[in-house]
Amino acid sequence: MKEDPLLMIPGPTMVPSRVVRAMSAPILPHRGSAFSALFLEQIERLKKIFQTKNDIFILCGSGTAAMEAAVSNVVEPGDKVICLVNGKFSGRFYEIAGRFKATPVVIDFEWGSAVDVETVKEALEKYPDAKAVTMAFNETSTGVRNPVKEVGELVKDTDAVFIVDTISALGGDEFRTDDWHVDMCATGSQKCLALPPGLAFISVSEKAWKVIEATDSSSYYLDLRRYRDDKAHAPYTPPVTLAYGLKEALDIIDEEGLDRRIERHRRLAHIVREEAQKMGLALFPASEGICSSTVTALRVPEGIDPGKLRGVLRDEFDIVIAGGQAQLKGDIIRIGHMGVIGEKEVYATLACLSIALDRVSL
Ligand SMILES: *Cc1c(COP(=O)(O)O)cnc(C)c1O
């Protein structure tokens, strides 16, 4: 691989040079007023992207830290957690819940299909004592977008805290934390926000706070009560450099406009789906209507090794796309089209993919 590959993977994504430059500013003391003002300002700006009035916290860690913060703050050993699983990342909530000695109840959906709302309704009736319900909005492992709004309508009438992973979608697809009744929304920096890896973000609703306050959490570093007490700079040293990058990344989002950004992602996803199918690749998700706006999962034609295909793209064209994960390893390819990339990058990837397909078919 050369020094400057085109990243067409579902994170980390391309980081604009403006953001890189912003991060080269001198380090401010994180307890000083200049840094606090910067930090608090970015939290307010993030609320617009989350579409929430709830609290938001900036955590030092990758997206999984926000997932762990959500689960670990609302469960005690033995608590029931309904985990809606239709891929690797939604399955992670199940693993986290188990690690904190909760009792996860998995509701499985076929990989490539979306979470089925009727099934969720039945599960909520069957487990009225569930303390939380978890799901992924954009299941990156399969390229499926899940019906968070519809599930939120159901969970809001229960005592359960609704926890959603939006790591590969927030800032790239429409997501309405408050309107969709999401109590805890977890996201990360290195996907649609086009920042380097290292920041995680979480929102916390009033309903979630009530549960958190009544829960004996076993988390220390991610104890959200500590973050609430220390909003202006986080209880432990935040990554100051990434906070500068965050400001610049949010400036870029403001300049484009969130709506236009979401529309761009939709357009790019559409182009990838159309062109890939013309080349003989098939959509992995069960139907076009559930396809993600930020990552497209594709089956390759019979007899073609997805690993070799990716290898040609990487070695000859310096373009990186992703393969399948877990049970889909060796079966599919995934093209990330998220963050700051545009049609230029998407068409270049598709053209090189077409050439690579010819090469590996020979
Ligand atoms: C990337 C991703 C994660 C994991 O995020 P990390 O930043 O690697 O911890 C979790 N969920 C989804 C849906 C993702 O796309």
Side-chain angles (χ1 to χ4, degrees):
M1 191 157 350
K2 303 184 193 87
E3 256 181 30
D4 203 6
L6 174 59
L7 301 179
M8 297 297 288
I9 48 179
T13 59
M14 301 302 286
V15 175
S17 52
R18 267 176 72 179
V19 172
V20 175
R21 278 198 302 277
M23 292 192 305
S24 66
I27 303 295
L28 286 168
H30 69 289
R31 304 256 164 227
S33 58
F35 184 78
S36 295
L38 172 92
F39 203 63
L40 286 169
E41 188 197 335
Q42 305 328 307
I43 288 173
E44 286 310 309
R45 298 173 81 190
L46 283 166
K47 289 183 183 176
K48 284 192 220 133
I49 298 173
F50 277 70
Q51 308 214 25
T52 189
K53 293 194 172 68
N54 293 339
D55 284 331
I56 286 183
F57 302 101
I58 299 175
L59 311 171
C60 179
S62 75
T64 305
M67 296 172 75
E68 180 162 331
V71 174
S72 66
N73 277 268
V74 303
V75 303
E76 286 174 23
D79 284 342
K80 212 164 276 171
V81 178
I82 297 177
C83 302
L84 309 176
V85 177
N86 63 338
K88 177 174 186 264
F89 292 106
S90 41
R92 186 166 291 176
F93 277 128
Y94 165 79
E95 294 172 2
I96 297 169
R99 187 60 67 95
F100 286 91
K101 305 208 164 24
T103 305
V105 178
V106 181
I107 312 295
D108 261 319
F109 303 90
E110 203 172 322
W111 288 33
S113 68
V115 163
D116 173 60
V117 180
E118 261 319 295
T119 310
V120 176
K121 196 170 174 196
E122 286 162 21
L124 287 169
E125 281 161 11
K126 189 167 169 198
Y127 305 104
D129 56 338
K131 196 136 178 227
V133 175
T134 67
M135 73 188 290
F137 171 51
N138 194 67
E139 182 41 87
T140 316
S141 63
T142 62
V144 167
R145 185 181 195 273
N146 281 310
V148 169
K149 175 176 185 252
E150 289 76 5
V151 174
E153 279 298 323
L154 300 173
V155 180
K156 84 170 200 296
D157 296 326
T158 72
D159 291 335
V161 175
F162 188 29
I163 300 175
V164 181
D165 165 356
T166 63
I167 294 173
S168 59
L170 203 82
D173 197 358
E174 181 178 46
F175 190 84
R176 300 180 165 274
T177 303
D178 291 356
D179 291 350
W180 298 355
H181 309 285
V182 176
D183 296 306
M184 302 180 93
C185 170
T187 203
S189 54
Q190 80 278 22
K191 304 215 174 173
C192 297
L193 299 172
L195 278 157
L199 291 178
F201 310 96
I202 186 161
S203 72
V204 184
S205 72
E206 269 312 308
K207 180 179 174 184
W209 275 128
K210 289 206 178 81
V211 174
I212 293 167
E213 279 155 12
T215 298
D216 187 15
S217 164
S218 43
S219 194
Y220 183 90
Y221 186 70
L222 296 173
D223 182 346
L224 292 172
R225 291 167 295 193
R226 298 287 311 273
Y227 287 80
R228 185 173 55 175
D229 292 344
D230 213 345
K231 279 203 183 89
H233 27 57
Y236 320 108
T237 316
V240 171
T241 302
L242 282 167
Y244 303 156
L246 175 61
K247 178 184 184 301
E248 196 70 23
L250 294 177
D251 284 350
I252 291 172
I253 293 178
D254 278 350
E255 287 160 22
E256 183 176 16
L258 184 59
D259 290 345
R260 280 174 55 196
R261 191 176 177 97
I262 289 167
E263 195 43 49
R264 169 168 57 82
H265 281 82
R266 274 193 200 131
R267 194 172 68 242
L268 297 179
H270 183 75
I271 293 170
V272 170
R273 288 198 296 268
E274 292 293 301
E275 298 301 319
Q277 290 180 99
K278 281 186 207 157
M279 282 178 225
L281 301 164
L283 300 178
F284 178 72
S287 67
E288 180 139 15
I290 60 168
C291 282
S292 161
S293 264
T294 61
V295 56
T296 299
L298 297 159
R299 289 184 200 275
V300 297
E302 192 72 39
I304 286 184
D305 174 357
K308 280 203 187 126
L309 189 63
R310 290 170 50 222
V312 172
L313 273 176
R314 186 188 57 226
D315 298 339
E316 296 190 27
F317 301 108
D318 220 17
I319 296 175
V320 192
I321 64 170
Q325 295 171 296
Q327 67 203 58
L328 293 175
K329 211 172 161 82
D331 278 353
I332 58 168
I333 57 169
R334 293 175 304 140
I335 301 175
H337 30 82
M338 58 177 79
V340 289
I341 54 136
E343 290 178 11
K344 179 175 76 178
E345 289 84 0
V346 163
Y347 280 119
T349 302
L350 291 163
C352 294
L353 181 62
S354 168
I355 298 167
L357 269 170
D358 284 344
R359 297 240 169 113
V360 297
S361 308
L362 290 177

PDB file of all heavy atoms in Angstrom, residues 125-146:
ATOM      1  N   GLU A 125     -43.580  -7.705  24.878  1.00  0.00           N
ATOM      2  CA  GLU A 125     -44.696  -8.238  25.667  1.00  0.00           C
ATOM      3  C   GLU A 125     -44.244  -9.436  26.502  1.00  0.00           C
ATOM      4  O   GLU A 125     -44.661  -9.624  27.641  1.00  0.00           O
ATOM      5  CB  GLU A 125     -45.851  -8.629  24.733  1.00  0.00           C
ATOM      6  CG  GLU A 125     -46.648  -7.409  24.306  1.00  0.00           C
ATOM      7  CD  GLU A 125     -47.495  -7.646  23.060  1.00  0.00           C
ATOM      8  OE1 GLU A 125     -47.634  -8.823  22.636  1.00  0.00           O
ATOM      9  OE2 GLU A 125     -48.003  -6.651  22.508  1.00  0.00           O
ATOM     10  N   LYS A 126     -43.345 -10.224  25.927  1.00  0.00           N
ATOM     11  CA  LYS A 126     -42.867 -11.432  26.609  1.00  0.00           C
ATOM     12  C   LYS A 126     -41.927 -11.083  27.774  1.00  0.00           C
ATOM     13  O   LYS A 126     -41.884 -11.798  28.771  1.00  0.00           O
ATOM     14  CB  LYS A 126     -42.145 -12.319  25.584  1.00  0.00           C
ATOM     15  CG  LYS A 126     -41.781 -13.687  26.098  1.00  0.00           C
ATOM     16  CD  LYS A 126     -41.373 -14.607  24.953  1.00  0.00           C
ATOM     17  CE  LYS A 126     -40.761 -15.889  25.519  1.00  0.00           C
ATOM     18  NZ  LYS A 126     -39.975 -16.592  24.500  1.00  0.00           N
ATOM     19  N   TYR A 127     -41.169 -10.000  27.617  1.00  0.00           N
ATOM     20  CA  TYR A 127     -40.203  -9.619  28.664  1.00  0.00           C
ATOM     21  C   TYR A 127     -40.501  -8.209  29.162  1.00  0.00           C
ATOM     22  O   TYR A 127     -39.740  -7.266  28.904  1.00  0.00           O
ATOM     23  CB  TYR A 127     -38.772  -9.682  28.121  1.00  0.00           C
ATOM     24  CG  TYR A 127     -38.409 -11.019  27.526  1.00  0.00           C
ATOM     25  CD1 TYR A 127     -38.359 -11.195  26.146  1.00  0.00           C
ATOM     26  CD2 TYR A 127     -38.119 -12.110  28.347  1.00  0.00           C
ATOM     27  CE1 TYR A 127     -38.032 -12.432  25.590  1.00  0.00           C
ATOM     28  CE2 TYR A 127     -37.790 -13.346  27.800  1.00  0.00           C
ATOM     29  CZ  TYR A 127     -37.753 -13.503  26.426  1.00  0.00           C
ATOM     30  OH  TYR A 127     -37.431 -14.714  25.875  1.00  0.00           O
ATOM     31  N   PRO A 128     -41.599  -8.044  29.890  1.00  0.00           N
ATOM     32  CA  PRO A 128     -41.978  -6.685  30.328  1.00  0.00           C
ATOM     33  C   PRO A 128     -40.996  -6.106  31.357  1.00  0.00           C
ATOM     34  O   PRO A 128     -41.000  -4.904  31.606  1.00  0.00           O
ATOM     35  CB  PRO A 128     -43.367  -6.894  30.943  1.00  0.00           C
ATOM     36  CG  PRO A 128     -43.444  -8.340  31.279  1.00  0.00           C
ATOM     37  CD  PRO A 128     -42.555  -9.068  30.337  1.00  0.00           C
ATOM     38  N   ASP A 129     -40.163  -6.978  31.931  1.00  0.00           N
ATOM     39  CA  ASP A 129     -39.194  -6.519  32.923  1.00  0.00           C
ATOM     40  C   ASP A 129     -37.852  -6.135  32.302  1.00  0.00           C
ATOM     41  O   ASP A 129     -36.884  -5.873  33.029  1.00  0.00           O
ATOM     42  CB  ASP A 129     -38.984  -7.606  33.987  1.00  0.00           C
ATOM     43  CG  ASP A 129     -38.553  -8.934  33.369  1.00  0.00           C
ATOM     44  OD1 ASP A 129     -38.816  -9.139  32.154  1.00  0.00           O
ATOM     45  OD2 ASP A 129     -37.948  -9.757  34.077  1.00  0.00           O
ATOM     46  N   ALA A 130     -37.771  -6.097  30.979  1.00  0.00           N
ATOM     47  CA  ALA A 130     -36.489  -5.754  30.335  1.00  0.00           C
ATOM     48  C   ALA A 130     -36.038  -4.364  30.767  1.00  0.00           C
ATOM     49  O   ALA A 130     -36.844  -3.427  30.802  1.00  0.00           O
ATOM     50  CB  ALA A 130     -36.622  -5.819  28.824  1.00  0.00           C
ATOM     51  N   LYS A 131     -34.761  -4.251  31.108  1.00  0.00           N
ATOM     52  CA  LYS A 131     -34.254  -2.956  31.558  1.00  0.00           C
ATOM     53  C   LYS A 131     -33.792  -2.094  30.383  1.00  0.00           C
ATOM     54  O   LYS A 131     -33.762  -0.865  30.472  1.00  0.00           O
ATOM     55  CB  LYS A 131     -33.078  -3.179  32.512  1.00  0.00           C
ATOM     56  CG  LYS A 131     -32.730  -1.958  33.313  1.00  0.00           C
ATOM     57  CD  LYS A 131     -32.488  -2.300  34.753  1.00  0.00           C
ATOM     58  CE  LYS A 131     -32.093  -1.091  35.560  1.00  0.00           C
ATOM     59  NZ  LYS A 131     -30.931  -1.356  36.401  1.00  0.00           N
ATOM     60  N   ALA A 132     -33.433  -2.761  29.297  1.00  0.00           N
ATOM     61  CA  ALA A 132     -32.986  -2.018  28.117  1.00  0.00           C
ATOM     62  C   ALA A 132     -33.271  -2.818  26.854  1.00  0.00           C
ATOM     63  O   ALA A 132     -33.448  -4.037  26.903  1.00  0.00           O
ATOM     64  CB  ALA A 132     -31.485  -1.726  28.212  1.00  0.00           C
ATOM     65  N   VAL A 133     -33.350  -2.071  25.740  1.00  0.00           N
ATOM     66  CA  VAL A 133     -33.468  -2.691  24.412  1.00  0.00           C
ATOM     67  C   VAL A 133     -32.334  -2.101  23.575  1.00  0.00           C
ATOM     68  O   VAL A 133     -32.142  -0.888  23.568  1.00  0.00           O
ATOM     69  CB  VAL A 133     -34.826  -2.360  23.752  1.00  0.00           C
ATOM     70  CG1 VAL A 133     -34.890  -2.906  22.324  1.00  0.00           C
ATOM     71  CG2 VAL A 133     -35.981  -2.906  24.586  1.00  0.00           C
ATOM     72  N   THR A 134     -31.570  -2.968  22.907  1.00  0.00           N
ATOM     73  CA  THR A 134     -30.447  -2.460  22.108  1.00  0.00           C
ATOM     74  C   THR A 134     -30.625  -2.821  20.643  1.00  0.00           C
ATOM     75  O   THR A 134     -31.180  -3.870  20.306  1.00  0.00           O
ATOM     76  CB  THR A 134     -29.099  -3.054  22.574  1.00  0.00           C
ATOM     77  OG1 THR A 134     -29.078  -4.470  22.300  1.00  0.00           O
ATOM     78  CG2 THR A 134     -28.845  -2.821  24.049  1.00  0.00           C
ATOM     79  N   MET A 135     -30.136  -1.933  19.773  1.00  0.00           N
ATOM     80  CA  MET A 135     -30.093  -2.258  18.340  1.00  0.00           C
ATOM     81  C   MET A 135     -29.093  -1.351  17.639  1.00  0.00           C
ATOM     82  O   MET A 135     -28.656  -0.338  18.196  1.00  0.00           O
ATOM     83  CB  MET A 135     -31.485  -2.133  17.696  1.00  0.00           C
ATOM     84  CG  MET A 135     -31.996  -0.724  17.495  1.00  0.00           C
ATOM     85  SD  MET A 135     -33.750  -0.670  16.937  1.00  0.00           S
ATOM     86  CE  MET A 135     -33.637  -1.296  15.258  1.00  0.00           C
ATOM     87  N   ALA A 136     -28.730  -1.741  16.416  1.00  0.00           N
ATOM     88  CA  ALA A 136     -27.880  -0.887  15.576  1.00  0.00           C
ATOM     89  C   ALA A 136     -28.776  -0.256  14.520  1.00  0.00           C
ATOM     90  O   ALA A 136     -29.581  -0.951  13.897  1.00  0.00           O
ATOM     91  CB  ALA A 136     -26.778  -1.704  14.916  1.00  0.00           C
ATOM     92  N   PHE A 137     -28.644   1.049  14.345  1.00  0.00           N
ATOM     93  CA  PHE A 137     -29.421   1.741  13.309  1.00  0.00           C
ATOM     94  C   PHE A 137     -28.916   1.320  11.931  1.00  0.00           C
ATOM     95  O   PHE A 137     -29.680   0.878  11.082  1.00  0.00           O
ATOM     96  CB  PHE A 137     -29.267   3.254  13.505  1.00  0.00           C
ATOM     97  CG  PHE A 137     -29.823   4.095  12.391  1.00  0.00           C
ATOM     98  CD1 PHE A 137     -31.114   3.911  11.927  1.00  0.00           C
ATOM     99  CD2 PHE A 137     -29.047   5.101  11.815  1.00  0.00           C
ATOM    100  CE1 PHE A 137     -31.630   4.703  10.902  1.00  0.00           C
ATOM    101  CE2 PHE A 137     -29.558   5.896  10.799  1.00  0.00           C
ATOM    102  CZ  PHE A 137     -30.836   5.691  10.344  1.00  0.00           C
ATOM    103  N   ASN A 138     -27.613   1.425  11.758  1.00  0.00           N
ATOM    104  CA  ASN A 138     -27.006   1.094  10.470  1.00  0.00           C
ATOM    105  C   ASN A 138     -26.070  -0.085  10.720  1.00  0.00           C
ATOM    106  O   ASN A 138     -24.992   0.082  11.273  1.00  0.00           O
ATOM    107  CB  ASN A 138     -26.219   2.325   9.994  1.00  0.00           C
ATOM    108  CG  ASN A 138     -25.811   2.277   8.543  1.00  0.00           C
ATOM    109  OD1 ASN A 138     -26.647   2.328   7.656  1.00  0.00           O
ATOM    110  ND2 ASN A 138     -24.521   2.166   8.292  1.00  0.00           N
ATOM    111  N   GLU A 139     -26.534  -1.305  10.381  1.00  0.00           N
ATOM    112  CA  GLU A 139     -25.735  -2.507  10.661  1.00  0.00           C
ATOM    113  C   GLU A 139     -24.639  -2.618   9.594  1.00  0.00           C
ATOM    114  O   GLU A 139     -24.860  -3.111   8.487  1.00  0.00           O
ATOM    115  CB  GLU A 139     -26.664  -3.731  10.706  1.00  0.00           C
ATOM    116  CG  GLU A 139     -26.018  -5.040  11.029  1.00  0.00           C
ATOM    117  CD  GLU A 139     -24.954  -5.040  12.129  1.00  0.00           C
ATOM    118  OE1 GLU A 139     -25.279  -5.186  13.326  1.00  0.00           O
ATOM    119  OE2 GLU A 139     -23.760  -4.916  11.759  1.00  0.00           O
ATOM    120  N   THR A 140     -23.469  -2.137   9.964  1.00  0.00           N
ATOM    121  CA  THR A 140     -22.361  -2.001   9.016  1.00  0.00           C
ATOM    122  C   THR A 140     -21.904  -3.338   8.436  1.00  0.00           C
ATOM    123  O   THR A 140     -21.376  -3.387   7.328  1.00  0.00           O
ATOM    124  CB  THR A 140     -21.178  -1.321   9.745  1.00  0.00           C
ATOM    125  OG1 THR A 140     -21.697  -0.236  10.508  1.00  0.00           O
ATOM    126  CG2 THR A 140     -20.143  -0.812   8.785  1.00  0.00           C
ATOM    127  N   SER A 141     -22.078  -4.416   9.161  1.00  0.00           N
ATOM    128  CA  SER A 141     -21.586  -5.713   8.675  1.00  0.00           C
ATOM    129  C   SER A 141     -22.413  -6.249   7.516  1.00  0.00           C
ATOM    130  O   SER A 141     -21.933  -7.074   6.742  1.00  0.00           O
ATOM    131  CB  SER A 141     -21.552  -6.734   9.819  1.00  0.00           C
ATOM    132  OG  SER A 141     -22.859  -6.967  10.314  1.00  0.00           O
ATOM    133  N   THR A 142     -23.653  -5.779   7.382  1.00  0.00           N
ATOM    134  CA  THR A 142     -24.523  -6.296   6.320  1.00  0.00           C
ATOM    135  C   THR A 142     -25.051  -5.193   5.393  1.00  0.00           C
ATOM    136  O   THR A 142     -25.737  -5.494   4.424  1.00  0.00           O
ATOM    137  CB  THR A 142     -25.753  -7.017   6.928  1.00  0.00           C
ATOM    138  OG1 THR A 142     -26.491  -6.057   7.691  1.00  0.00           O
ATOM    139  CG2 THR A 142     -25.341  -8.168   7.841  1.00  0.00           C
ATOM    140  N   GLY A 143     -24.770  -3.937   5.737  1.00  0.00           N
ATOM    141  CA  GLY A 143     -25.259  -2.829   4.911  1.00  0.00           C
ATOM    142  C   GLY A 143     -26.756  -2.602   5.022  1.00  0.00           C
ATOM    143  O   GLY A 143     -27.401  -2.139   4.080  1.00  0.00           O
ATOM    144  N   VAL A 144     -27.303  -2.927   6.187  1.00  0.00           N
ATOM    145  CA  VAL A 144     -28.756  -2.806   6.391  1.00  0.00           C
ATOM    146  C   VAL A 144     -29.085  -1.653   7.344  1.00  0.00           C
ATOM    147  O   VAL A 144     -28.430  -1.468   8.370  1.00  0.00           O
ATOM    148  CB  VAL A 144     -29.341  -4.123   6.953  1.00  0.00           C
ATOM    149  CG1 VAL A 144     -30.764  -3.920   7.481  1.00  0.00           C
ATOM    150  CG2 VAL A 144     -29.332  -5.213   5.888  1.00  0.00           C
ATOM    151  N   ARG A 145     -30.132  -0.921   6.970  1.00  0.00           N
ATOM    152  CA  ARG A 145     -30.623   0.183   7.800  1.00  0.00           C
ATOM    153  C   ARG A 145     -31.851  -0.333   8.544  1.00  0.00           C
ATOM    154  O   ARG A 145     -32.790  -0.849   7.934  1.00  0.00           O
ATOM    155  CB  ARG A 145     -31.023   1.312   6.858  1.00  0.00           C
ATOM    156  CG  ARG A 145     -31.440   2.590   7.470  1.00  0.00           C
ATOM    157  CD  ARG A 145     -31.805   3.520   6.286  1.00  0.00           C
ATOM    158  NE  ARG A 145     -31.891   4.902   6.689  1.00  0.00           N
ATOM    159  CZ  ARG A 145     -32.996   5.449   7.172  1.00  0.00           C
ATOM    160  NH1 ARG A 145     -34.073   4.728   7.336  1.00  0.00           N
ATOM    161  NH2 ARG A 145     -33.003   6.736   7.491  1.00  0.00           N
ATOM    162  N   ASN A 146     -31.859  -0.186   9.855  1.00  0.00           N
ATOM    163  CA  ASN A 146     -32.926  -0.744  10.690  1.00  0.00           C
ATOM    164  C   ASN A 146     -33.969   0.295  11.090  1.00  0.00           C
ATOM    165  O   ASN A 146     -33.656   1.479  11.210  1.00  0.00           O
ATOM    166  CB  ASN A 146     -32.320  -1.380  11.944  1.00  0.00           C
ATOM    167  CG  ASN A 146     -31.732  -2.746  11.663  1.00  0.00           C
ATOM    168  OD1 ASN A 146     -32.388  -3.596  11.060  1.00  0.00           O
ATOM    169  ND2 ASN A 146     -30.479  -2.952  12.064  1.00  0.00           N
TER     170      ASN A 146
END
